[in-house]
Structure formats: structure tokens, C-alpha cells
Amino acid sequence: MDDRTRTRRDRTHWLYLAVIVAVVAGILIGWLAPGTGRALVPLGTMFVDLIKMMIAPVIFCTIVLGIGSVRAAATVGKVGGMAIAYFLVMSTVALGAGLLVGNLLDPGTGLDITGSAGQGTQYAEQAHAAGGTVEFLHGIIPTTLVSSLTAGSVLQALFVALLVGFAVQAMGSSGEPILRAVTLIQKLVFRILVMILWLAPIGAFGAIANVVGRTGLDAVVQLGTLMIAFYLTCLLFVFGVLGVLVRLIARVSIFKLCRYLAREYLLIVATSSSESALPRLIAKMEHLGVERTTVGVVVPTGYSFNLDGTAIYLTMASIFIADAMGQPLGLSEQLGLLLFMIVASKGAAGVTGAGLATLAGGLQSHRPELLDGVGLIVGIDRFMSEARALTNFSGNAVATVLVGTWTGTIEPARVRDVLDRKLPFDEQTLVDEHGDEPAPPTGTEPKALVPS
């Protein structure tokens, strides 16, 4: 049985090799035939839409099963409170890192961006459309229970899943049939997700061909300093800041954790969206040994509130634009912008093009005369979004391990076995098989996941 499982798992290597080939082919098409490359944009868009279609059901099933299987509601509150506090601290650290590197390198000094001016207003309007704090909180409440699974809002799905989870929890033993049904639905959802992932090469080909055809290779070379600085800052943040934290607190190697998530990183590079790997992150964190309750709260919440890569991008891009327009930001202006970004980076999590929208909103509120400089960033934003998404994803993976450690909802021995490849992840089902039984019945703490 183990041999058959391993054979199915090995077969998925072809999928990720195909993604690499598709990315290379997309670059060549976009470079040699720009018109054709730009025409292929629907391929990438449709694939990402298919992935986003699965996010709400995955979050709903995971949280309902996690919360519904434990008696103490305080456990969920403790996990959520600790996660939010950690997210606020790390976002501030990431914003500070972006300011530090941006001031040290001054990548925008000496550039002439006159030709790119006049393209920032639309992004500012987009950020304004997201509304303020009250509108953001109001937007978490869905029109109906069912609409939370169809509106495409991660926070709405999270909110309704919490309500259902606590309701099932309060039902006691009579809620066990519901948990059993949700368990079967979860298996169905992940099976559909596996089918969709086989379309990743097509989506990657269309997305890469479009961006290269639209910007050309010269745009990457022209703004290479900013891109390299941003990528290096993200690497230092992940392997420096996050790596040290997860080593000191959880005794986990950031290098082994990244190796464990290698396929998710490749998927993110192909789509430039960390959302494409959200369902797989949930499945892999559970397999790693973090209890379902913790994973179900930390991962979805982190995708809206723990955007380390976006935070670094916002501050570095702001300094770059100000320098490029010959109007550098003073220290007090930078600190004011930092405080604005701490809040704005949370509220804009559900906005399409959140990075550019929040950047434009921040500049408009602090230095409106710099708004037109956003047009310079548009050309390379697609390339920078890959590092942004990878850093966001890494930050949420580390956050799950850390919160699990702080709350005692992680099994260290299993973590070591999984990261040492002694307990391989089942790529065929994305879930650990436990028979047809639901999560542990109400009144007991959930046991650590074990291989069947």
C-alpha cells in the first residue's frame, strides 16, 4: 500500500516539471512575439480564478472541523488573539526593514519618470473604494450564510465558518453527524483541487507570456536595482528574521521548512499569487503536526492580516518613487507613512491589486504630488509580486508553527519526522486518511495527525 501511495505521489513530479517548462516557454513567447504573449492573459487569469474558487470551501471545512471537534472555545480565542498580536508585530518589523533598505540604497535616485506619470489616480481610487475601517468590518458580514462561500471573500468565509464551528461545538454529541458530513465534503473539495492543479502549466504559460509581452525585458533591466534590492530584502527577512524566530522558539530549521513547501513556492512563482497555494498550505501544516484548530484559525487570518512581503514592498516602493521624482521623503514623513501602511496593508487585503492600491492610497494621503509616480511601478509590479507573494506565504507558514508552539497545539516529534522526509505528504489526496470517522468527538482534545 505504501508503494502504491508513493507511486501516485511521484507521478505529480511531472506536473511541476511541466510548470517550469511552461514558464520558460511563456518568457520566450512574450519576448519574441509580444502581441501573442499579451493575448494569452486569459489563460493565467482563468487558472488563478479556479484556485480562488476553492479557497472558501477549504477554509470553511477546515475551520468547522477544527473548532467543532474541541470543547473549550477558549482554545480558539487564545490561538486567534496570539496570532493577531504576532501579525501586528511582524508587519511592523517588515515595514521597518523596507524603510531601512530603501534609505540605504536609494534605488530611485537619478531616474527620470516623467513618461510614466499620470497612471496613479486609478489605483488611488481603487484603494478609496475599499472604504475605511467601518466599511471593512461591515464587509466581513455576508448577505447570507451561503453567500459567504460564493462571494470570494476570505474573511466572510472565515466568519461564517467560525459561527458554524462554535454552533456544532455547542451541539455536543448530536453535532457529530455534521462533522462526519463536513469531513467527506473536505475530501471532495481537496480532490477537486488536485484536478485543478493539473492545469497549472497552462495558467503559468499564459501569465508569464502576458507580462513579458506587455513590459518587455528592457523594463526589467531598467528597474533592476529596485527589484534586486526588494528580492534581497525579502530573502533576508525570511531566512534572517523569520528563520531565527522559528529556530529559537520552535526548534525548526527554516531551510527544511522551505524545502517541505518547495512545490507551493513553485506554484506561487508561476501565478504570482500566494492565494493559489493557500489550500495546500492548510493541508501541509496539518500534515506537519499542527492541530487542525490552530491551522484553521492562523492560516486564513494570516492571509488577510500577515502580509510581510506586501509591507516591505509598500515602504521600498514609496521611497523609490519619491527619490525618482526628486522629492525624497523626510524621516517624519516616512514614519507617518509607516503608521498608515500598518493599517492600510490589513484593510486592503481583499482588494484586487492590493499592493498597488495601498501604495497609491498611502502616497495620496501623505504626498499627493507623488501619486503619478505609481505609473513607474506598474511595469515591474508583476515581477515584484512574486517575491511579495513568496514572502507572505513564508510568513504565514512560520506563523502557524510559532503559534502552534506557543499554544501547545503542535507535535514536535512529528514535525521533525515530516521535515526529515520520514512521513511524506500525500500529493494525491492532500489530506491524511483517517478512515470515515470525523475529527475526535466533542468533549475531547483533537489528537495529533498520524499516518494511516
Side-chain angles (χ1 to χ4, degrees), residues 269-323:
V269 168
T271 62
S272 287
S273 172
S274 57
E275 284 189 350
S276 62
L278 186 151
R280 288 181 59 91
L281 178 61
I282 290 176
K284 280 204 164 182
M285 288 295 102
E286 288 187 14
H287 177 76
L288 185 65
V290 184
E291 287 183 5
R292 181 178 289 163
T293 306
T294 301
V295 175
V297 173
V298 176
V299 174
T301 306
Y303 262 69
S304 292
F305 292 94
N306 189 37
L307 307 174
D308 297 330
T310 302
I312 296 172
Y313 163 83
L314 290 174
T315 49
M316 290 190 67
S318 298
I319 292 176
F320 175 80
I321 291 173
D323 290 344

Short mmCIF file of all heavy atoms in Angstrom, two decimals, residues 269-323:
data_model
loop_
_atom_site.label_atom_id
_atom_site.label_comp_id
_atom_site.label_asym_id
_atom_site.label_seq_id
_atom_site.Cartn_x
_atom_site.Cartn_y
_atom_site.Cartn_z
N VAL A 269 5.29 31.12 -7.72
CA VAL A 269 6.10 31.78 -8.74
C VAL A 269 5.37 31.78 -10.08
O VAL A 269 5.40 32.76 -10.83
CB VAL A 269 7.48 31.10 -8.87
CG1 VAL A 269 8.22 31.59 -10.11
CG2 VAL A 269 8.32 31.37 -7.63
N ALA A 270 4.70 30.67 -10.37
CA ALA A 270 4.01 30.56 -11.65
C ALA A 270 2.80 31.48 -11.73
O ALA A 270 2.46 31.98 -12.81
CB ALA A 270 3.58 29.11 -11.89
N THR A 271 2.14 31.71 -10.60
CA THR A 271 0.90 32.51 -10.61
C THR A 271 1.05 33.89 -10.00
O THR A 271 0.15 34.72 -10.14
CB THR A 271 -0.21 31.77 -9.84
OG1 THR A 271 0.18 31.61 -8.47
CG2 THR A 271 -0.47 30.39 -10.44
N SER A 272 2.19 34.14 -9.30
CA SER A 272 2.42 35.40 -8.58
C SER A 272 1.31 35.69 -7.57
O SER A 272 1.01 36.83 -7.26
CB SER A 272 2.53 36.58 -9.56
OG SER A 272 3.76 36.52 -10.23
N SER A 273 0.71 34.65 -7.05
CA SER A 273 -0.34 34.81 -6.06
C SER A 273 -0.18 33.76 -4.97
O SER A 273 -0.17 32.56 -5.25
CB SER A 273 -1.72 34.65 -6.72
OG SER A 273 -2.74 34.62 -5.74
N SER A 274 -0.03 34.23 -3.72
CA SER A 274 0.09 33.28 -2.62
C SER A 274 -1.24 32.59 -2.35
O SER A 274 -1.29 31.52 -1.74
CB SER A 274 0.56 34.00 -1.34
OG SER A 274 -0.33 35.05 -0.99
N GLU A 275 -2.35 33.17 -2.84
CA GLU A 275 -3.66 32.54 -2.65
C GLU A 275 -3.73 31.20 -3.37
O GLU A 275 -4.46 30.30 -2.95
CB GLU A 275 -4.77 33.46 -3.17
CG GLU A 275 -5.08 34.63 -2.26
CD GLU A 275 -6.31 35.39 -2.70
OE1 GLU A 275 -6.80 35.12 -3.82
OE2 GLU A 275 -6.78 36.25 -1.95
N SER A 276 -2.99 31.05 -4.47
CA SER A 276 -3.03 29.80 -5.21
C SER A 276 -2.52 28.62 -4.38
O SER A 276 -2.86 27.47 -4.66
CB SER A 276 -2.20 29.92 -6.50
OG SER A 276 -0.83 30.17 -6.18
N ALA A 277 -1.72 28.91 -3.37
CA ALA A 277 -1.16 27.84 -2.53
C ALA A 277 -1.81 27.76 -1.16
O ALA A 277 -1.40 26.95 -0.33
CB ALA A 277 0.35 28.05 -2.37
N LEU A 278 -2.84 28.57 -0.90
CA LEU A 278 -3.48 28.57 0.42
C LEU A 278 -4.07 27.21 0.80
O LEU A 278 -3.83 26.72 1.91
CB LEU A 278 -4.55 29.66 0.47
CG LEU A 278 -5.23 29.90 1.83
CD1 LEU A 278 -5.68 31.35 1.95
CD2 LEU A 278 -6.43 28.99 2.04
N PRO A 279 -4.83 26.56 -0.09
CA PRO A 279 -5.37 25.25 0.30
C PRO A 279 -4.28 24.23 0.60
O PRO A 279 -4.40 23.44 1.54
CB PRO A 279 -6.20 24.83 -0.93
CG PRO A 279 -6.53 26.12 -1.62
CD PRO A 279 -5.32 26.97 -1.42
N ARG A 280 -3.21 24.26 -0.18
CA ARG A 280 -2.11 23.31 0.06
C ARG A 280 -1.37 23.63 1.35
O ARG A 280 -0.88 22.73 2.03
CB ARG A 280 -1.15 23.33 -1.13
CG ARG A 280 -1.69 22.67 -2.39
CD ARG A 280 -0.66 22.72 -3.52
NE ARG A 280 0.56 22.03 -3.12
CZ ARG A 280 0.80 20.74 -3.33
NH1 ARG A 280 -0.12 19.98 -3.90
NH2 ARG A 280 1.93 20.20 -2.94
N LEU A 281 -1.28 24.92 1.71
CA LEU A 281 -0.62 25.28 2.96
C LEU A 281 -1.41 24.74 4.15
O LEU A 281 -0.84 24.23 5.12
CB LEU A 281 -0.47 26.80 3.07
CG LEU A 281 0.17 27.31 4.37
CD1 LEU A 281 1.59 26.77 4.52
CD2 LEU A 281 0.19 28.84 4.41
N ILE A 282 -2.73 24.86 4.08
CA ILE A 282 -3.58 24.32 5.14
C ILE A 282 -3.35 22.82 5.29
O ILE A 282 -3.15 22.30 6.39
CB ILE A 282 -5.06 24.62 4.85
CG1 ILE A 282 -5.34 26.12 5.01
CG2 ILE A 282 -5.97 23.81 5.77
CD1 ILE A 282 -6.76 26.52 4.66
N ALA A 283 -3.36 22.12 4.16
CA ALA A 283 -3.17 20.66 4.20
C ALA A 283 -1.79 20.29 4.72
O ALA A 283 -1.64 19.37 5.52
CB ALA A 283 -3.38 20.08 2.80
N LYS A 284 -0.77 21.01 4.29
CA LYS A 284 0.60 20.67 4.69
C LYS A 284 0.88 21.02 6.15
O LYS A 284 1.66 20.33 6.82
CB LYS A 284 1.61 21.36 3.77
CG LYS A 284 1.79 20.63 2.44
CD LYS A 284 3.12 20.92 1.81
CE LYS A 284 3.46 19.91 0.73
NZ LYS A 284 4.78 20.16 0.12
N MET A 285 0.30 22.08 6.65
CA MET A 285 0.51 22.42 8.06
C MET A 285 -0.16 21.39 8.97
O MET A 285 0.37 21.04 10.02
CB MET A 285 -0.05 23.81 8.35
CG MET A 285 0.78 24.95 7.77
SD MET A 285 2.46 25.09 8.50
CE MET A 285 3.44 24.32 7.21
N GLU A 286 -1.33 20.87 8.55
CA GLU A 286 -1.95 19.80 9.32
C GLU A 286 -1.09 18.55 9.28
O GLU A 286 -0.90 17.87 10.29
CB GLU A 286 -3.35 19.51 8.76
CG GLU A 286 -4.38 20.59 9.06
CD GLU A 286 -5.78 20.17 8.63
OE1 GLU A 286 -5.98 18.97 8.36
OE2 GLU A 286 -6.66 21.04 8.57
N HIS A 287 -0.58 18.23 8.10
CA HIS A 287 0.29 17.05 7.97
C HIS A 287 1.57 17.22 8.78
O HIS A 287 2.11 16.25 9.31
CB HIS A 287 0.63 16.84 6.49
CG HIS A 287 1.59 15.71 6.26
ND1 HIS A 287 1.21 14.38 6.32
CD2 HIS A 287 2.92 15.69 5.97
CE1 HIS A 287 2.25 13.60 6.08
NE2 HIS A 287 3.30 14.38 5.87
N LEU A 288 2.04 18.46 8.90
CA LEU A 288 3.27 18.72 9.63
C LEU A 288 3.13 18.39 11.12
O LEU A 288 4.13 18.06 11.77
CB LEU A 288 3.67 20.19 9.47
CG LEU A 288 5.00 20.64 10.07
CD1 LEU A 288 6.17 19.94 9.37
CD2 LEU A 288 5.16 22.15 9.97
N GLY A 289 1.90 18.47 11.63
CA GLY A 289 1.69 18.16 13.04
C GLY A 289 1.06 19.27 13.84
O GLY A 289 0.95 19.18 15.05
N VAL A 290 0.61 20.34 13.16
CA VAL A 290 -0.10 21.42 13.84
C VAL A 290 -1.58 21.04 13.89
O VAL A 290 -2.14 20.60 12.89
CB VAL A 290 0.07 22.77 13.11
CG1 VAL A 290 -0.61 23.88 13.88
CG2 VAL A 290 1.53 23.08 12.90
N GLU A 291 -2.20 21.20 15.06
CA GLU A 291 -3.59 20.80 15.20
C GLU A 291 -4.50 21.58 14.25
O GLU A 291 -4.25 22.75 13.95
CB GLU A 291 -4.07 20.98 16.64
CG GLU A 291 -3.48 19.95 17.59
CD GLU A 291 -4.02 20.09 19.01
OE1 GLU A 291 -4.92 20.94 19.23
OE2 GLU A 291 -3.53 19.36 19.90
N ARG A 292 -5.56 20.91 13.82
CA ARG A 292 -6.46 21.48 12.82
C ARG A 292 -7.06 22.82 13.27
O ARG A 292 -7.24 23.74 12.48
CB ARG A 292 -7.58 20.48 12.53
CG ARG A 292 -8.59 20.94 11.49
CD ARG A 292 -9.60 19.85 11.23
NE ARG A 292 -9.02 18.74 10.51
CZ ARG A 292 -9.57 17.52 10.44
NH1 ARG A 292 -10.70 17.29 11.08
NH2 ARG A 292 -9.00 16.57 9.74
N THR A 293 -7.36 22.92 14.57
CA THR A 293 -7.93 24.17 15.08
C THR A 293 -6.99 25.34 14.85
O THR A 293 -7.40 26.41 14.38
CB THR A 293 -8.21 24.04 16.59
OG1 THR A 293 -9.03 22.90 16.82
CG2 THR A 293 -8.92 25.29 17.10
N THR A 294 -5.72 25.15 15.17
CA THR A 294 -4.72 26.21 15.01
C THR A 294 -4.53 26.57 13.55
O THR A 294 -4.51 27.75 13.17
CB THR A 294 -3.38 25.79 15.64
OG1 THR A 294 -3.58 25.49 17.02
CG2 THR A 294 -2.34 26.88 15.49
N VAL A 295 -4.41 25.55 12.71
CA VAL A 295 -4.23 25.80 11.28
C VAL A 295 -5.43 26.55 10.72
O VAL A 295 -5.30 27.51 9.96
CB VAL A 295 -4.04 24.46 10.52
CG1 VAL A 295 -3.99 24.71 9.01
CG2 VAL A 295 -2.78 23.76 10.97
N GLY A 296 -6.64 26.12 11.11
CA GLY A 296 -7.85 26.73 10.58
C GLY A 296 -8.04 28.17 10.97
O GLY A 296 -8.72 28.92 10.27
N VAL A 297 -7.44 28.59 12.08
CA VAL A 297 -7.54 29.99 12.51
C VAL A 297 -6.38 30.82 11.97
O VAL A 297 -6.57 31.91 11.42
CB VAL A 297 -7.60 30.08 14.05
CG1 VAL A 297 -7.52 31.53 14.50
CG2 VAL A 297 -8.88 29.44 14.57
N VAL A 298 -5.15 30.32 12.11
CA VAL A 298 -3.96 31.11 11.80
C VAL A 298 -3.79 31.34 10.30
O VAL A 298 -3.55 32.47 9.85
CB VAL A 298 -2.70 30.45 12.38
CG1 VAL A 298 -1.45 31.23 11.96
CG2 VAL A 298 -2.79 30.37 13.89
N VAL A 299 -3.92 30.30 9.49
CA VAL A 299 -3.63 30.43 8.06
C VAL A 299 -4.61 31.38 7.35
O VAL A 299 -4.18 32.34 6.70
CB VAL A 299 -3.59 29.05 7.38
CG1 VAL A 299 -3.44 29.22 5.86
CG2 VAL A 299 -2.44 28.21 7.92
N PRO A 300 -5.93 31.17 7.44
CA PRO A 300 -6.83 32.11 6.75
C PRO A 300 -6.71 33.54 7.29
O PRO A 300 -6.75 34.50 6.52
CB PRO A 300 -8.22 31.53 7.05
CG PRO A 300 -7.99 30.10 7.37
CD PRO A 300 -6.67 30.07 8.08
N THR A 301 -6.57 33.69 8.61
CA THR A 301 -6.43 35.03 9.18
C THR A 301 -5.13 35.67 8.71
O THR A 301 -5.08 36.87 8.40
CB THR A 301 -6.44 34.96 10.72
OG1 THR A 301 -7.62 34.27 11.16
CG2 THR A 301 -6.45 36.36 11.32
N GLY A 302 -4.07 34.88 8.65
CA GLY A 302 -2.78 35.40 8.19
C GLY A 302 -2.81 35.89 6.76
O GLY A 302 -2.12 36.86 6.41
N TYR A 303 -3.63 35.25 5.93
CA TYR A 303 -3.71 35.68 4.53
C TYR A 303 -4.36 37.06 4.39
O TYR A 303 -4.25 37.69 3.34
CB TYR A 303 -4.49 34.64 3.72
CG TYR A 303 -3.59 33.68 2.98
CD1 TYR A 303 -2.83 32.75 3.65
CD2 TYR A 303 -3.48 33.74 1.59
CE1 TYR A 303 -1.99 31.88 2.99
CE2 TYR A 303 -2.64 32.88 0.91
CZ TYR A 303 -1.90 31.95 1.61
OH TYR A 303 -1.06 31.10 0.94
N SER A 304 -5.04 37.51 5.42
CA SER A 304 -5.63 38.85 5.39
C SER A 304 -4.87 39.86 6.24
O SER A 304 -4.92 41.05 5.98
CB SER A 304 -7.08 38.79 5.88
OG SER A 304 -7.90 38.11 4.96
N PHE A 305 -4.15 39.37 7.26
CA PHE A 305 -3.53 40.29 8.22
C PHE A 305 -2.01 40.15 8.33
O PHE A 305 -1.37 40.98 8.95
CB PHE A 305 -4.15 40.08 9.61
CG PHE A 305 -5.57 40.50 9.71
CD1 PHE A 305 -6.59 39.59 9.53
CD2 PHE A 305 -5.91 41.82 9.96
CE1 PHE A 305 -7.92 39.97 9.62
CE2 PHE A 305 -7.23 42.21 10.05
CZ PHE A 305 -8.24 41.28 9.87
N ASN A 306 -1.43 39.12 7.76
CA ASN A 306 0.01 38.91 7.90
C ASN A 306 0.68 38.96 6.53
O ASN A 306 1.03 37.93 5.95
CB ASN A 306 0.28 37.55 8.57
CG ASN A 306 1.74 37.37 8.92
OD1 ASN A 306 2.41 38.32 9.32
ND2 ASN A 306 2.25 36.16 8.78
N LEU A 307 0.84 40.17 6.01
CA LEU A 307 1.37 40.36 4.66
C LEU A 307 2.76 40.98 4.73
O LEU A 307 2.96 42.15 4.41
CB LEU A 307 0.41 41.25 3.86
CG LEU A 307 -1.05 40.78 3.84
CD1 LEU A 307 -1.93 41.80 3.15
CD2 LEU A 307 -1.18 39.42 3.18
N ASP A 308 3.73 40.18 5.15
CA ASP A 308 5.08 40.70 5.35
C ASP A 308 5.69 41.19 4.04
O ASP A 308 6.33 42.24 3.99
CB ASP A 308 5.97 39.60 5.96
CG ASP A 308 5.50 39.19 7.34
OD1 ASP A 308 4.91 40.03 8.04
OD2 ASP A 308 5.69 38.02 7.72
N GLY A 309 5.54 40.42 2.97
CA GLY A 309 6.11 40.82 1.69
C GLY A 309 5.48 42.09 1.17
O GLY A 309 6.17 42.97 0.63
N THR A 310 4.17 42.22 1.32
CA THR A 310 3.49 43.44 0.90
C THR A 310 3.96 44.64 1.71
O THR A 310 4.12 45.74 1.17
CB THR A 310 1.97 43.27 1.07
OG1 THR A 310 1.53 42.14 0.29
CG2 THR A 310 1.22 44.51 0.61
N ALA A 311 4.22 44.44 3.00
CA ALA A 311 4.69 45.53 3.85
C ALA A 311 6.06 46.04 3.39
O ALA A 311 6.29 47.25 3.30
CB ALA A 311 4.77 45.05 5.30
N ILE A 312 6.97 45.12 3.09
CA ILE A 312 8.29 45.51 2.59
C ILE A 312 8.16 46.26 1.26
O ILE A 312 8.80 47.29 1.03
CB ILE A 312 9.19 44.27 2.42
CG1 ILE A 312 9.45 43.62 3.78
CG2 ILE A 312 10.51 44.65 1.74
CD1 ILE A 312 10.17 42.29 3.69
N TYR A 313 7.30 45.75 0.40
CA TYR A 313 7.09 46.35 -0.91
C TYR A 313 6.56 47.79 -0.79
O TYR A 313 7.01 48.69 -1.49
CB TYR A 313 6.10 45.49 -1.70
CG TYR A 313 5.47 46.15 -2.89
CD1 TYR A 313 6.13 46.21 -4.12
CD2 TYR A 313 4.20 46.72 -2.81
CE1 TYR A 313 5.54 46.81 -5.22
CE2 TYR A 313 3.61 47.32 -3.89
CZ TYR A 313 4.28 47.37 -5.10
OH TYR A 313 3.69 47.96 -6.19
N LEU A 314 5.60 48.00 0.10
CA LEU A 314 4.97 49.31 0.23
C LEU A 314 5.98 50.40 0.60
O LEU A 314 5.99 51.48 0.01
CB LEU A 314 3.85 49.26 1.27
CG LEU A 314 2.60 48.47 0.89
CD1 LEU A 314 1.64 48.37 2.08
CD2 LEU A 314 1.91 49.09 -0.31
N THR A 315 6.83 50.11 1.58
CA THR A 315 7.77 51.14 2.02
C THR A 315 8.89 51.35 1.02
O THR A 315 9.27 52.50 0.74
CB THR A 315 8.36 50.76 3.39
OG1 THR A 315 8.81 49.40 3.36
CG2 THR A 315 7.32 50.89 4.48
N MET A 316 9.43 50.27 0.45
CA MET A 316 10.51 50.42 -0.52
C MET A 316 10.03 51.13 -1.78
O MET A 316 10.73 51.99 -2.34
CB MET A 316 11.10 49.06 -0.88
CG MET A 316 11.90 48.41 0.24
SD MET A 316 12.81 46.94 -0.30
CE MET A 316 14.01 47.69 -1.41
N ALA A 317 8.82 50.79 -2.24
CA ALA A 317 8.28 51.42 -3.44
C ALA A 317 8.00 52.90 -3.20
O ALA A 317 8.22 53.74 -4.09
CB ALA A 317 7.00 50.71 -3.88
N SER A 318 7.54 53.25 -2.01
CA SER A 318 7.27 54.66 -1.69
C SER A 318 8.55 55.48 -1.74
O SER A 318 8.59 56.58 -2.31
CB SER A 318 6.63 54.77 -0.30
OG SER A 318 5.39 54.09 -0.26
N ILE A 319 9.60 54.97 -1.12
CA ILE A 319 10.89 55.68 -1.13
C ILE A 319 11.44 55.77 -2.54
O ILE A 319 11.99 56.80 -2.96
CB ILE A 319 11.89 54.96 -0.20
CG1 ILE A 319 11.42 55.10 1.26
CG2 ILE A 319 13.29 55.53 -0.35
CD1 ILE A 319 12.28 54.36 2.25
N PHE A 320 11.30 54.69 -3.31
CA PHE A 320 11.78 54.67 -4.69
C PHE A 320 11.10 55.75 -5.53
O PHE A 320 11.75 56.50 -6.26
CB PHE A 320 11.52 53.29 -5.28
CG PHE A 320 11.86 53.17 -6.74
CD1 PHE A 320 13.16 52.99 -7.15
CD2 PHE A 320 10.87 53.26 -7.71
CE1 PHE A 320 13.48 52.89 -8.49
CE2 PHE A 320 11.16 53.16 -9.05
CZ PHE A 320 12.47 52.97 -9.44
N ILE A 321 9.78 55.83 -5.44
CA ILE A 321 9.03 56.82 -6.22
C ILE A 321 9.42 58.24 -5.82
O ILE A 321 9.63 59.11 -6.67
CB ILE A 321 7.51 56.60 -6.04
CG1 ILE A 321 7.08 55.31 -6.72
CG2 ILE A 321 6.72 57.79 -6.58
CD1 ILE A 321 5.63 54.93 -6.46
N ALA A 322 9.52 58.48 -4.51
CA ALA A 322 9.87 59.82 -4.04
C ALA A 322 11.26 60.22 -4.54
O ALA A 322 11.47 61.35 -5.00
CB ALA A 322 9.83 59.85 -2.51
N ASP A 323 12.22 59.31 -4.48
CA ASP A 323 13.57 59.60 -4.96
C ASP A 323 13.59 59.81 -6.47
O ASP A 323 14.28 60.70 -6.99
CB ASP A 323 14.53 58.46 -4.58
CG ASP A 323 14.80 58.42 -3.08
OD1 ASP A 323 14.50 59.42 -2.40
OD2 ASP A 323 15.29 57.38 -2.59
#
